[in-house]
Amino acid sequence: MESGGKHSYLIGQTEVAARPLETALYLVATPIGNLADITLRALETLAAADILACEDTRVSRVLLERYGIRRRTTAYHEHNAAEAGPKLIAALEAGKSVALISDAGTPLVSDPGYRLVGEALEKGIRVVPVPGASAALAALTASGLPSDTFLFAGFLPVKTGQRKARLEELRAVPATLIFYESPRRLSEALDAMADALGGGRAAAVGRELTKAFEEMRTGTLAALAAHYAAADTPKGEIVVCVGPPLPVEQTAGDVDALLASLARDMPASKAAAEAAKMTGQPKQALYRRLLELKDDAGG
């Protein structure tokens, strides 16, 4: 809202005047669910900026109204970036301040905006991060998985072959992996992760983080894949964290012996799946090795 010509925001029932901003592109993190997770600095920035650019103005309106920020907003998203981006850059070059927010969380993290930031930096325009909520970090800290080294991998490809190839690229990365996933594809994605990364790897699925029905479910990738295969399609935003590769304690000979033993009592595909659960190694790699052993044995 505006008071005496000055932009302001509400903390409880108290109206607070927002100080003027210097010319810059401000990247403002917003809550991922619980509106109380906004920072005081973010509120002041949203209230004071000359231009407020939102991924979805309807979504952002809920947050702005909650804190009494009565501002006109402009849309900036992946579908209009080519048109809206130059206008925002022009405003910045004219000395205006621009605040950029996504639907939830930190801008540019699986959200549009990186092209705008790149263009601003190329033109010598200051870019200011206003940090706050992030679904990826919220899930990581609550997952119980190693957090000293992690890799945010965003959304996996939808197509099966591309998803498999991407997971193969990530299989040996010595870090906790963080993915965003659609509720509709969660079961399929977990099954693909178990196959490519190893069903024995520790993992966690975070759902509806910071909201009323927040859930963190932990277990091995194989166990989580089995759970969500049998459960109803979950609701809400999903974050999947996968622990680093398991230590390889078995020698190649040990693994070959295990595969040969399992293959005597079950089909090759099932033997590879069981070996993956026991060793934490990828099922497809074990299946290929089993076929090589069969060829070497002449059968």
Side-chain angles (χ1 to χ4, degrees):
M1 72 175 53
E2 295 186 17
S3 176
K6 296 181 179 179
H7 296 296
S8 64
Y9 55 97
L10 293 177
I11 299 297
Q13 299 301 314
T14 302
E15 182 179 347
V16 182
R19 294 167 294 181
L21 292 175
E22 297 179 358
T23 299
L25 173 59
Y26 296 85
L27 309 177
V28 184
T30 55
I32 60 176
N34 191 323
L35 295 184
D37 288 339
I38 192 75
T39 69
L40 294 178
R41 184 183 175 203
L43 290 175
E44 183 169 51
T45 303
L46 296 180
D50 295 316
I51 298 173
L52 181 50
C54 311
E55 184 179 2
D56 188 325
T57 56
R58 297 165 299 178
V59 172
S60 299
R61 182 57 53 194
V62 176
L63 174 67
L64 298 177
E65 290 182 352
R66 166 67 175 80
Y67 289 101
I69 301 174
R70 308 193 187 285
R71 298 292 313 285
R72 179 176 297 177
T73 57
T74 185
Y76 177 84
H77 47 73
E78 60 180 334
H79 302 297
N80 78 340
E83 177 184 355
K87 294 180 180 178
L88 295 176
I89 293 295
L92 287 161
E93 289 185 308
K96 300 291 186 181
S97 57
V98 175
L100 177 69
I101 61 176
S102 62
D103 285 352
T106 300
L108 279 69
V109 180
S110 275
D111 283 312
Y114 72 93
R115 287 188 295 272
L116 182 65
V117 170
E119 291 169 5
L121 292 174
E122 286 179 2
K123 294 181 179 297
I125 297 169
R126 186 181 175 208
V127 177
V128 179
V130 182
S134 167
L137 293 181
L140 175 64
T141 55
S143 69
L145 298 172
S147 57
D148 55 338
T149 306
F150 58 89
L151 171 69
F152 176 68
F155 286 92
L156 287 170
V158 176
K159 294 184 178 179
T160 301
Q162 294 176 353
R163 180 174 56 210
K164 179 180 177 181
R166 176 59 173 153
L167 288 170
E168 286 292 340
E169 292 175 350
L170 298 171
R171 181 169 62 85
V173 174
T176 294
L177 306 176
I178 306 174
F179 302 91
Y180 287 167
E181 192 50 82
S182 161
R184 299 186 305 277
R185 294 193 297 268
L186 178 61
S187 176
E188 183 180 352
L190 287 171
D191 190 57
M193 290 178 193
D195 283 346
L197 304 178
R201 280 172 72 160
V205 174
R207 185 179 68 84
E208 293 285 80
L209 297 177
T210 79
K211 301 177 184 177
F213 298 102
E214 176 179 287
E215 177 185 44
M216 283 296 298
R217 181 175 293 274
T218 61
T220 64
L221 274 175
L224 290 171
H227 170 80
Y228 285 102
D232 294 334
T233 300
K235 296 180 180 180
E237 303 296 327
I238 303 290
V239 185
V240 179
C241 298
V242 181
L246 296 171
V248 179
E249 299 177 354
Q250 305 91 355
T251 66
D254 291 337
V255 175
D256 287 352
L258 175 62
L259 287 169
S261 175
L262 292 170
R264 285 196 290 269
D265 301 316
M266 59 186 71
S269 178
K270 187 174 181 181
E274 288 299 316
K277 294 178 183 179
M278 298 170 69
T279 66
Q281 297 186 29
K283 183 178 76 173
Q284 293 300 325
L286 291 170
Y287 179 73
R288 291 192 295 269
R289 178 56 182 160
L290 181 53
L291 295 183
E292 292 173 358
L293 293 173
K294 287 180 175 288
D295 288 341
D296 292 343

